[in-house]
Amino acid sequence: MVVNPVVYGASERPPRGDYARASGDYTCAQDYAAYTARDHDTYRRLYERQCALLPGLASQAFIDALPALGARAAIPRFDDINDRLYRATRWQIVAVPGLIPEVPFFSLLAQRKFPVTDWIRTPAEFDYVVEPDIFHDLFGHVPLLFNPVFADYIQCYGQGGLKAHGLGACELLSRVYWYTIEFGLVREARGLRAYGAGILSSAGELPYSVQSPRPQRLLLDVERAMRTRYRIDDFQETYFVLDGLDGLLRLAGQDFAPLYARIRGLPEFTPGEAAPGDRPVPADDGAGPG
């Protein structure tokens, strides 16, 4: 079966990654021998930079789970991670050549399989890469898969994604993914913290999302999130905040079908736009340093 690459956003550049290696479900073997010494060094330097930024900015759940990722001086082998991950939460990571279509993506998540891009950015892209690479996927997403609450939420999201596809509502649900799994913030005992992978893997957006007075931060309301567009080419102008990661399971248990029907056709909000009923969260949550 021939699989086709997925274009990220409005990019005109052909997607990176060798899709000819992929099977029908878009997974492939991690070609570990293909990584160069430069690739391993890029991963090491990215890992060290992000680790130095985590205290006081990253969710404690993420900090607690990060050591389970394993190797930090070189790109880890997926099989080594899976030995630990499956024992912890019955999840596995699977290699993919890059972005994959909605239905294969949702199907893998529903099976507790998280797709991880197996190529890494070049040194010239050290500060910013257009498409998610192995560092974003491993460092940003995988540690919290060792957390049972987060792990169950991701599986429920996959199951919900398959339902949303049947209802023609993938765009609405994708915004929930964006504003939780990729760019979510959470209020913890010590203050406002990041748990979204897009934030945790970015040296610039991690302090910006938690500390900057510029972006809008709102307590998470699912309807508001579904109606809010987002940025893929700059820091976010709107973030949604959970009152504790346990809120993800309450979110996962909801039937969104009536919500899709109710809000389809309603006006959307631009990033950073205020709306009636918004519940703002300040950048400094008043709890002191983490």
Side-chain angles (χ1 to χ4, degrees):
M1 177 178 178
V2 177
V3 299
N4 297 311
V6 176
V7 176
Y8 189 67
S11 174
E12 297 179 355
R13 180 177 60 78
R16 201 177 311 181
D18 180 8
Y19 285 79
R21 296 191 296 122
S23 61
D25 65 355
Y26 280 82
T27 63
C28 58
Q30 183 190 22
D31 188 1
Y32 197 82
Y35 299 128
T36 65
R38 188 185 74 170
D39 292 336
H40 289 298
D41 185 62
T42 297
Y43 183 89
R44 176 190 61 79
R45 293 189 297 120
L46 286 165
Y47 196 113
E48 289 180 352
R49 180 175 69 171
Q50 288 308 113
C51 279
L53 294 172
L54 297 179
L57 297 174
S59 163
Q60 190 61 45
F62 177 84
I63 292 173
D64 290 344
L66 184 59
L69 193 59
R72 54 189 296 170
I75 297 170
R77 295 180 184 273
F78 291 2
D79 287 345
D80 292 342
I81 293 173
N82 281 336
D83 285 343
R84 297 184 293 275
L85 182 56
Y86 190 79
R87 289 197 303 269
T89 58
R90 295 297 187 264
W91 270 83
Q92 302 173 63
I93 58 174
V94 291
V96 291
L99 293 167
I100 65 177
E102 290 169 342
V103 171
F105 179 70
F106 295 144
S107 297
L108 288 171
L109 296 186
Q111 299 170 63
R112 295 178 88 88
K113 296 179 180 179
F114 194 88
V116 174
T117 300
D118 66 349
W119 56 260
I120 192 163
R121 69 193 73 181
T122 66
E125 299 167 308
F126 192 80
D127 291 322
Y128 176 73
V129 62
V130 175
E131 300 165 61
D133 71 340
I134 192 172
F135 179 76
H136 165 82
D137 285 344
L138 281 184
F139 187 94
H141 285 288
V142 175
L144 280 176
L145 289 175
F146 285 87
N147 179 287
V149 169
F150 195 82
D152 287 349
Y153 172 66
I154 299 293
Q155 182 182 29
C156 287
Y157 180 85
Q159 295 166 340
L162 293 172
K163 295 176 183 177
H165 183 267
L167 295 170
C170 283
E171 174 61 26
L172 296 177
L173 188 63
S174 73
R175 293 175 181 175
V176 177
Y177 186 94
W178 188 266
Y179 284 121
T180 58
I181 297 168
E182 288 289 357
F183 290 93
L185 299 176
V186 60
R187 290 201 292 199
E188 296 184 337
R190 294 187 175 184
L192 192 65
R193 299 291 184 266
Y195 71 92
I199 302 173
L200 293 166
S201 60
S202 168
E205 192 146 6
L206 181 52
Y208 169 87
S209 66
V210 175
Q211 298 175 332
S212 173
R214 289 180 54 193
Q216 177 187 57
R217 299 175 186 83
L218 307 173
L219 280 179
L220 179 63
D221 176 272
V222 176
E223 178 175 334
R224 176 69 157 92
M226 285 185 179
R227 293 175 60 189
T228 304
R229 297 197 294 272
Y230 54 78
R231 303 290 302 272
I232 66 169
D233 58 351
D234 203 348
F235 294 166
Q236 299 304 298
E237 297 175 43
T238 298
Y239 296 97
F240 287 93
V241 182
L242 283 172
D243 266 328
L245 282 184
D246 286 350
L248 290 175
L249 289 185
R250 293 190 293 273
L251 182 63
Q254 295 184 32
D255 177 8
F256 290 150
L259 183 56
Y260 298 147
R262 186 169 75 248
I263 68 176
R264 188 174 279 121
L266 291 179
E268 296 184 333
F269 301 107
T270 59
E273 180 181 353
D278 283 349
R279 293 174 292 170
V281 177
D284 181 357
D285 212 33

